[in-house]
Amino acid sequence: MTTTNTPEALTPPTPLQQLLAGAKSTMPFLATAIPMGIAGGVLGLSSGLSGWATLGLAMAVNSGTAQFVGFALIADGASWPAIILTTLILALRMLLYSTILIPYVKEVPQRWRVLLGFGLIDEVFFVAIEKLKKGELTHSKHLFFLGASGLLYVTWMLSTVVGMSLGSVVVSDVQKLGLDFPVTAMFVAMLAIGLANWRVAAAIGSAGVTVMLAQGLPYNLGVVLAAIVGALVGTVCEYATKPKTTTAGTTTSTTTSTTTSKENAE
């Protein structure tokens, strides 16, 4: 029996189509990215930073969690080494993401991987990893990542500018605005997506439990601790499944070989 190739299999997406597909995949997250960016602009001014410093920090860090914690530390008068160290600790989960993605992006040129590494954030990882594992993302992977991260990055910066323009109006009463809600909403959305992968769900769930238990720690260190716990749990889960997968694969291969040998003998 012959197999008919579908037009989709014969015609890979064009670079522009892959770029737009990446942007489209992260569009649902704009509902949280926009209010978070606005909140970041407001909180940056309320912490004592200038407009340029607020925007510069947002552009350099490219992480809502690290940015919000950084603003809190600045407002509390923490030293710059402590702020930088905290930001690096919060970025530990990106090492987990990168480790998981390495087997899927080996063919991507190094110059692209450096750029895409900067744009790798939680939302981009979650939308890309499922497509990669299902084999739905095989051509121009770097353009898909660029579209996904680029849309969120530009939106975040524009929203930050809007927040700074509103900052002079609401900065005096910023604590009553409930600007931390978009952060909660974003992680709830990512948790819903992550439930399709029990390893990711375990990492996010453990981080969520940790941040609730450690909410009384000073300088928002509960968020830092939650990031470490989530990264460790995710790493353990990822490596714990590898031997099982290998064993299953070996068993299947051995069973197939045995069956084939019996058939040939008959």
Side-chain angles (χ1 to χ4, degrees):
M1 181 176 67
T2 59
T3 302
T4 304
N5 292 324
T6 61
E8 289 79 9
L10 294 175
T11 307
T14 65
L16 179 59
Q17 288 175 334
Q18 200 68 297
L19 189 70
L20 294 177
K24 184 179 179 181
S25 69
T26 53
M27 285 184 66
F29 292 104
L30 295 182
T32 55
I34 292 174
M36 281 182 64
I38 294 175
V42 174
L43 293 175
L45 297 183
S46 70
S47 65
L49 293 177
S50 66
W52 285 111
T54 298
L55 181 61
L57 181 62
M59 294 178 67
V61 174
N62 191 28
S63 169
T65 306
Q67 184 177 330
F68 278 60
V69 172
F71 289 152
L73 292 174
I74 292 172
D76 289 339
S79 63
W80 281 105
I83 295 172
I84 294 174
L85 179 61
T86 302
T87 302
L88 291 176
I89 293 175
L90 287 173
L92 284 177
R93 68 189 188 281
M94 299 305 167
L95 293 177
L96 170 63
Y97 295 166
S98 300
T99 302
I100 296 174
L101 289 174
I102 284 175
Y104 300 100
V105 295
K106 287 182 177 179
E107 75 279 10
V108 176
Q110 182 64 33
R111 64 181 183 277
W112 274 105
R113 277 187 275 175
V114 171
L115 176 61
L116 300 179
F118 173 76
L120 180 61
I121 57 177
D122 302 282
E123 298 90 333
V124 174
F125 172 78
F126 284 117
V127 298
I129 190 61
E130 292 303 319
K131 288 183 175 292
L132 289 169
K133 288 185 175 181
K134 293 177 182 178
E136 299 175 357
L137 185 57
T138 57
H139 299 86
S140 303
K141 298 176 183 178
H142 58 294
L143 294 179
F144 180 90
F145 276 90
L146 182 63
S149 60
L151 176 65
L152 291 175
Y153 187 80
V154 172
T155 301
W156 184 271
M157 296 311 127
L158 292 176
S159 301
T160 300
V161 172
V162 173
M164 289 190 299
S165 66
L166 298 175
S168 59
V169 179
V170 300
V171 71
S172 61
D173 203 25
V174 68
Q175 297 297 330
K176 298 180 180 179
L177 296 177
L179 295 178
D180 57 334
F181 173 75
V183 182
T184 304
M186 180 193 71
F187 280 102
V188 169
M190 289 192 298
L191 176 59
I193 295 176
L195 289 176
N197 185 327
W198 73 269
R199 295 180 292 276
V200 176
I204 299 176
S206 61
V209 172
T210 302
V211 79
M212 288 189 293
L213 295 177
Q215 60 181 343
L217 294 179
Y219 301 116
N220 285 324
L221 291 178
V223 178
V224 177
L225 181 61
I228 297 174
V229 171
L232 289 176
V233 170
T235 302
V236 170
C237 291
E238 187 69 22
Y239 281 99
T241 56
K242 285 187 177 181
K244 294 179 181 180
T245 302
T246 303
T247 303
T250 304
T251 302
T252 302
S253 178
T254 303
T255 303
T256 302
S257 300
T258 304
T259 303
T260 302
S261 299
K262 289 182 178 181
E263 290 177 351
N264 291 337
E266 292 175 357

